[in-house]
Amino acid sequence: MGLPVLFGWGKKGKQVGYIGIDKCPNCKHYVHLYLYEYASVFRLYFIPILKWNKKLYLVCSKCDAAWELNGEFKEELIEESLTSPPMETTTLLWNKVGKVIDENLDILMKKYPEDFISPMVETCIANLCDEISDIVSIRKMSLKYLEMILDEDKPR
Ligand SMILES: [Zn+2]
């Protein structure tokens, strides 16, 4: 993704989408990632008259690093922001999945030393499918949470 731009985001740009929880390539934390639009604006008596040079950025909610988005990757992320659940739902699911994994991982790692990933994901689905009908999101989120736990490249 190249080097991030770091500048006081949030205040200048406008949040236009939410991507979900993923690893920030800059600070290495697993955090909420957002889409921000930034445009040059010409104002006359505080009224925006002209907007140009519109750019879309992927922004980390923790360290404020931002990546300008172009081409295919841009289309992909716009698509993702349209299909992924909102931040509140994602946070709730992330916490629930995390609780199930924290409680069961040691047991499953001993029981299935070869591959504990699939049984762990299945355990998350079995534990949460009664309250959360979105199985696809439970699966996706538990894989992401496991990725975080097993990630050797920890935050600085
Ligand atoms: Zn970050």
Side-chain angles (χ1 to χ4, degrees):
M1 274 203 289
L3 286 174
V5 214
L6 288 155
F7 47 148
W9 271 101
K11 292 168 194 89
K12 287 179 185 171
K14 186 175 131 206
Q15 189 190 312
V16 291
Y18 172 69
I19 297 293
I21 295 174
D22 213 331
K23 185 180 185 175
C24 166
N26 187 54
C27 69
K28 321 274 188 199
H29 285 280
Y30 283 73
V31 289
H32 296 294
L33 296 175
Y34 293 93
L35 289 180
Y36 270 78
E37 187 189 85
Y38 181 73
S40 307
V41 181
F42 172 71
R43 288 169 202 272
L44 194 63
Y45 301 111
F46 307 107
I47 299 158
I49 301 289
L50 261 179
K51 233 179 167 186
W52 75 98
N53 204 13
K54 255 197 226 173
K55 284 175 180 169
L56 198 64
Y57 291 85
L58 178 69
V59 180
C60 168
S61 59
K62 191 169 179 69
C63 71
D64 276 349
W67 291 266
E68 191 185 335
L69 299 173
N70 288 307
E72 229 174 85
F73 193 55
K74 181 175 168 180
E75 300 304 316
E76 243 172 63
L77 284 179
I78 291 173
E79 180 69 31
E80 207 170 321
S81 79
L82 295 174
T83 51
S84 62
M87 200 263 270
E88 294 76 19
T89 316
T90 303
T91 306
L92 197 76
L93 186 55
W94 178 260
N95 292 337
K96 283 184 189 295
V97 161
K99 193 164 177 275
V100 175
I101 291 179
D102 290 343
E103 284 169 1
N104 294 283
L105 191 63
D106 284 350
I107 305 160
L108 287 177
M109 277 173 105
K110 279 191 195 106
K111 204 170 166 191
Y112 308 97
E114 295 296 314
D115 173 27
F116 55 85
I117 301 283
S118 323
M120 191 66 254
V121 172
E122 292 311 315
T123 305
C124 285
I125 293 170
N127 272 276
L128 300 171
C129 65
D130 283 347
E131 41 175 332
I132 299 153
S133 55
D134 186 357
I135 306 285
V136 177
S137 287
I138 300 176
R139 185 182 299 276
K140 205 173 145 189
M141 204 67 87
S142 46
L143 283 170
K144 189 54 75 182
Y145 197 93
L146 284 165
E147 184 192 305
M148 178 184 75
I149 288 180
L150 304 169
D151 196 341
E152 299 286 324
D153 186 22
K154 296 286 182 203
R156 289 175 291 225

